[in-house]
Every structure is written in structure tokens, then in C-alpha cells.
Amino acid sequence: MQTTPLLIGSFILLFVCQKLIGFFRAVKSIGNHPGHRLLFSPASVLGSFLPKTKYVSLGQNHTFVSKHTVFEAAGCDIHSSVSIIPNIRTMIVLADPAAIKEVTSSRARFPKPVHFYKALSFYGHNIVASEGEEWKKYRKISAPAFSDRNNKLVWDESVKIMEGLFTDVWGDKDAITVDHCVDITLPIALFVIGVAGFGRNVSWKEDVVIPPGHQMTFKDALHIVTTDIFVKLIVPDWAMRLTPRLRRAKLAFDELHRYMAEMIRLRQHSEKVDRHDLFSSLLDANAGDLGGPALTEDELISNIYIFLVAGHETTAHTLCFTFGLLALYQEEQEKLYQHIKSTIPSDRLPTYEEMPLLTHSMAVFYETLRLFPPVAAIPKFAAEDTTLSATDSKGVKITVPVPKGTDITIAVPGLHYNPRYWEDPHAFKPERFLKDWPRDAFVPFSAGARACIGRKFFETEGIAILTMLVSRYKITVKEEPQFAGETFEERKARVLANRAGLTVTPLRVPLVFTRRT
């Protein structure tokens, strides 16, 4: 009887010894470079959800929460992480512009770990969750849609959608109060990507109506999919009916697939006209009209899904943070308003050709992206034994060994809040983008060949929406009795609170939009 416990104890001891040996080898392989030594990997499910505990886990949303402080503690803009569970994992984390540029420009040495993007591959292969020749195929198909001609369409439709909001929804109200600003920015972003990306017009009035054959609106389905994407990733299919939330998430994924299939069928059977939107490029590839191998039905739907998510959630959340910041910093909002007034006559709408003149709008938008980058961590991995260099806090150049298979993480908040490149990095100062600024220390769209293909689309839409709204309405934080005695810093922390999601997601931004006279 004593043999069984002895055997179990021996196996446990052997397992622990193997883990410890592997752990110390991993630490040695990176020259014991400063950083975290953890029980649970930050990239694991448990490591992402457990509270921050020294030597155990880094906690939720750790890359955004820690920003640059972890690099300051390491004394260098490159730090390391070596963890034990679920397996020995070595990670090099970057907030050094030169090292980041080297990684993003050396795709052969530092490719994208596509397995990390499983959450974005529910419907099939796509441009985000691919690498090598497959990615080149998707990129070639998509690139023509992101042209100056289509950007003008993005601008015109954004202006039209904002006009619809002002006249059809807000009407003659002098003040509009919203409990959470995303209730406005989500439909705006959806309408823009719908019409400019996919030729799908949805008016403000139609958006609340569930069409025949569906159980939820297109907007609600897309929003739930982006919100509950990690639920879908973690929970097996058989369990997706166990709770009301899981059933709602399953319905949203099914409904979104149904909507996308309908969009495809409708366009395929409509009159052939000359179009320059993204949807047309994808459909032409699906039909084999562009030469090369045709997209499969799953590839077509999955790429539609990716561009809907990328063009919807990132814009909506960035605009929400932008409006929250302007509500908190009234002097910055007034500077923006005065610049818009001096640039665009009040008797007409801004045009796409005037976008380069709206420098202050762009500065506000960029400063928001610096403070709240949509994606906090950009993953890569080392395809070969190599090294990366940085300068430590004493000005000494150091070389960090990077063994083959090491995870590389570009810590975007760590870079964006790095005091070496951004003076007073925690402050909201749009004027920093009105003069020379460190371009290599700003990567909200990633960098290199894998940089965001829709960057100009995103910027055009954001500048048009921001300019239209601030020119007509003053933004303030909603006054609530329970927060009457809070300080400015407490209010700022509350209004700008966020969580980790598919993108950095605002929790609740309660605002009031008051018509300017």
C-alpha cells in the first residue's frame, strides 16, 4: 500500500525537477537578462486572468497597466519573462524603438506567431492570422481597396453619417446625455465600414430594426462577437448553450455568419458596376477574376469578418477615448474647436481635400492613440538564434541573447509612455504632434511590412468624425451625484478605465454633448 504514494511522490518530484532544470536553462539562455520570473506564462489563460502576484502572474491587462514602469525596474528598454506553466516559456519584451524597428523590418528572423491569432480564425483563414505566401495573397487582394479614391469615399460617408446623427437622432435637442460613449461611436464606426468597405448602407433609423430571418441586428451581432470573442475561444462548442450569456454569444456568431453570407449573395447577384471598395476586391478574388488561386468561401467570409472587426471596434474605442479625453481636458477641446473654426467655414461641411489642413484634429487623434493604443502587445518570435541591442539606464549599450523559438512582444504602451522619447508621457498633450516627434516611438498601427493596411482608412474616418462632432457640440463629463466629491485625477481614472479585449476597451465613458451656439 505504501508503494502507490511513493510512486506518485517520485513522479511529482521528477516533474518538478524537470521544470526547474528547464527554467534555469531558459534563464541562462538569455544571459539572465532582467525581468519577470513567473509560475504562469503571461500568454496563458491562467496567466492572463489571475490577479497580479509576485513570481506567480502579471495580472490582467498587464502590458497596458504597467506601461513603462517594468522597463524602469529592469533598467533597460528590453526586459525578459521566463515562466514555468503550462510549459517553459521565454519572452523578450521591447519598448526600445531601434529594437522594435529591427524586429518589424526583419520578417524572416522575427515572423508572426499565427497560432496566437486563433481567436480571429473562427470562420477560416484571413490576412491577420496568416504568414508567408498565404499572407502575401491576402495582402495583394486587399491592397487595391485602400486607395486615395476609396479614402475620399470614407471621408464623404463619415461626414454624411455624422449629419444623419445630428438631424435624425439628436434633432433639436440642445444636450444629449449618454451613459457610455460607445453607444454612439460603435454604430458610427459600423456604418462607415459598412458603406465604405462593403457597400452596405444602414441608416440610423433602420439600425434598430431586426430584419426578417434574423434574431438580432447586424450591429448587435458584430458587437457581441467582438466583446465575447475570448469566451468563444475558451468555451467548447457543446457548452455554448449552458448560460444565457453563452447562448447569446453563440447566436451572435451564427447571426454574423448569416449576415456575411447574405452580403456575399446579394453582391454576387446584383448588377455589375465599377466599385473600388474592399468587398469588391475580395469578391473578385473569390471568383478568380484577379488571377491566381481563388479564395474559398470560408476565406472570403473570414476576411470580411476581420475587416469588419478591425474597421469597427478599433475606431469606435479610439473615438470613445478621444471624446473622453476632450471632456476631461476642456482647454484642449477649446483649442481644437478654434482651429476647426479657423480652417473650415461654418457655412459648409469639411471636404476630403481639406483633411491635411486639420492638423489639430490629427494631433488630438494621434495623442489618443499614443495614450490608448488599440493593441497593447504585438507578438513575434525568433526563427533563429539572434540578439537584440538596447541602451540601459546608465547609457551603456547592452546585447540581449535571443535563442531560437523565443517569444518577442512589442509592448506598445511601454514604448508610448517611454520618457526617453515622450516628455511628461502620462499627460494628454496633443501639441506634441504639431512639431517634430519621434516617429519610431509611435506604433499604434504596428510597423514594417505587417503594419495595418487600413491605417489611412482609419485616420480619414477618425478625423472626419472628430472634426464634425467638435465643430457642432461641446463635450463634457456627465455629472453624477455619487461622484460629486472626486478629484480631477479620480475622475480621469474613472472615465478612462479600460480592460483588455480584442482591443483596449473603455469600460464606461459617461458624457454630455451640448450644442454649440
Side-chain angles (χ1 to χ4, degrees), residues 164-232:
L165 172 65
F166 301 153
T167 57
D168 298 339
V169 182
W170 291 357
D172 57 1
K173 297 176 184 176
D174 290 329
I176 299 88
T177 301
V178 294
D179 192 61
H180 191 359
C181 186
V182 294
D183 293 339
I184 292 172
T185 60
L186 279 171
I188 291 172
L190 178 62
F191 295 168
V192 174
I193 188 64
V195 66
F198 300 94
R200 187 183 191 279
N201 285 286
V202 181
S203 74
W204 285 95
K205 294 178 180 178
E206 292 170 337
D207 183 54
V208 297
V209 179
I210 299 175
H214 290 275
Q215 298 179 56
M216 63 176 59
T217 66
F218 181 67
K219 174 176 73 73
D220 288 343
L222 183 58
H223 179 53
I224 293 168
V225 164
T226 54
T227 302
D228 287 347
I229 195 164
F230 293 107
V231 172
K232 173 75 170 173

Side-chain angles (χ1 to χ4, degrees), residues 327-397:
L328 288 163
Y329 293 88
Q330 286 293 314
E331 70 282 0
E332 294 296 342
Q333 184 179 170
E334 183 61 21
K335 289 178 187 176
L336 174 58
Y337 173 63
Q338 292 299 334
H339 185 264
I340 294 170
K341 278 186 62 178
S342 68
T343 306
I344 309 296
S346 57
D347 60 343
R348 65 169 177 80
L349 299 175
T351 66
Y352 177 61
E353 291 70 26
E354 291 169 317
M355 181 179 165
L357 303 177
L358 295 165
T359 53
H360 213 99
S361 293
M362 182 66 85
V364 168
F365 203 56
Y366 272 14
E367 180 69 342
T368 303
L369 287 168
R370 186 187 68 81
L371 293 169
F372 297 96
V375 178
I378 302 170
K380 304 283 185 181
F381 74 95
E384 59 187 53
D385 290 338
T386 185
T387 60
L388 289 169
S389 299
T391 304
D392 67 15
S393 57
K394 298 177 182 177
V396 178
K397 186 174 181 178

Side-chain angles (χ1 to χ4, degrees), residues 172-464:
D172 57 1
K173 297 176 184 176
D174 290 329
I176 299 88
T177 301
V178 294
D179 192 61
H180 191 359
C181 186
V182 294
D183 293 339
I184 292 172
T185 60
L186 279 171
I188 291 172
L190 178 62
F191 295 168
V192 174
I193 188 64
V195 66
F198 300 94
R200 187 183 191 279
N201 285 286
V202 181
S203 74
W204 285 95
K205 294 178 180 178
E206 292 170 337
D207 183 54
V208 297
V209 179
I210 299 175
H214 290 275
Q215 298 179 56
M216 63 176 59
T217 66
F218 181 67
K219 174 176 73 73
D220 288 343
L222 183 58
H223 179 53
I224 293 168
V225 164
T226 54
T227 302
D228 287 347
I229 195 164
F230 293 107
V231 172
K232 173 75 170 173
L233 178 64
I234 295 168
V235 179
D237 289 341
W238 61 264
M240 288 296 286
R241 291 183 174 88
L242 295 180
T243 69
R245 179 180 176 183
L246 292 176
R247 288 193 293 272
R248 187 186 70 158
K250 184 183 186 311
L251 177 62
F253 274 89
D254 293 344
E255 281 285 288
L256 185 60
H257 188 281
R258 195 172 296 119
Y259 274 116
M260 290 188 293
E262 288 174 358
M263 287 166 59
I264 293 167
R265 287 195 298 271
L266 182 64
R267 181 67 71 88
Q268 285 175 334
H269 293 94
S270 64
E271 182 182 352
K272 186 77 173 179
V273 295
D274 187 27
R275 301 177 191 265
H276 298 274
D277 59 19
L278 174 64
F279 197 28
S280 296
S281 293
L282 293 174
L283 283 173
D284 288 345
N286 178 246
D289 294 346
L290 299 181
L295 291 181
T296 66
E297 191 78 8
D298 285 346
E299 286 178 309
L300 179 59
I301 285 179
S302 188
N303 278 285
I304 293 170
Y305 162 66
I306 282 298
F307 285 112
L308 278 171
V309 170
H312 166 251
E313 183 167 288
T314 53
T315 303
H317 290 167
T318 298
L319 285 169
C320 184
F321 283 123
T322 303
F323 296 152
L325 285 163
L326 291 173
L328 288 163
Y329 293 88
Q330 286 293 314
E331 70 282 0
E332 294 296 342
Q333 184 179 170
E334 183 61 21
K335 289 178 187 176
L336 174 58
Y337 173 63
Q338 292 299 334
H339 185 264
I340 294 170
K341 278 186 62 178
S342 68
T343 306
I344 309 296
S346 57
D347 60 343
R348 65 169 177 80
L349 299 175
T351 66
Y352 177 61
E353 291 70 26
E354 291 169 317
M355 181 179 165
L357 303 177
L358 295 165
T359 53
H360 213 99
S361 293
M362 182 66 85
V364 168
F365 203 56
Y366 272 14
E367 180 69 342
T368 303
L369 287 168
R370 186 187 68 81
L371 293 169
F372 297 96
V375 178
I378 302 170
K380 304 283 185 181
F381 74 95
E384 59 187 53
D385 290 338
T386 185
T387 60
L388 289 169
S389 299
T391 304
D392 67 15
S393 57
K394 298 177 182 177
V396 178
K397 186 174 181 178
I398 61 169
T399 299
V400 182
V402 183
K404 181 179 179 179
T406 300
D407 292 321
I408 310 289
T409 297
I410 298 170
V412 182
L415 178 66
H416 286 188
Y417 286 79
N418 191 331
R420 291 192 187 193
Y421 309 99
W422 305 101
E423 182 183 354
D424 198 6
H426 290 265
F428 178 61
K429 293 183 177 180
E431 64 269 17
R432 70 175 91 237
F433 287 98
L434 296 173
K435 52 190 177 183
D436 287 338
W437 51 276
R439 281 166 168 74
D440 288 342
F442 183 68
V443 292
F445 308 99
S446 190
R450 292 302 302 249
C452 176
I453 190 174
R455 174 174 181 166
K456 190 62 185 295
F457 186 116
F458 175 74
E459 291 177 348
T460 302
E461 173 187 7
I463 299 309

Side-chain angles (χ1 to χ4, degrees), residues 145-161:
F146 295 100
S147 62
D148 195 61
R149 183 172 182 173
N150 197 49
N151 289 332
K152 185 180 187 307
L153 174 64
V154 172
W155 181 278
D156 293 342
E157 292 298 336
S158 298
V159 169
K160 188 186 300 182
I161 287 161

Side-chain angles (χ1 to χ4, degrees), residues 8-18:
I8 293 173
S10 298
F11 277 121
I12 292 173
L13 181 61
L14 179 62
F15 175 79
V16 171
C17 288
Q18 287 178 331

Side-chain angles (χ1 to χ4, degrees), residues 34-36 52 58 61-80 93-95 393 411-420 425-426:
H36 298 292
K52 182 178 180 180
L58 295 181
N61 205 11
H62 63 90
T63 305
F64 187 85
V65 171
S66 64
K67 298 182 176 64
H68 192 259
T69 55
V70 64
F71 297 95
E72 293 167 7
C76 177
D77 286 335
I78 297 178
H79 77 78
S80 69
V93 188
L94 311 177
S393 57
V412 182
L415 178 66
H416 286 188
Y417 286 79
N418 191 331
R420 291 192 187 193
H426 290 265

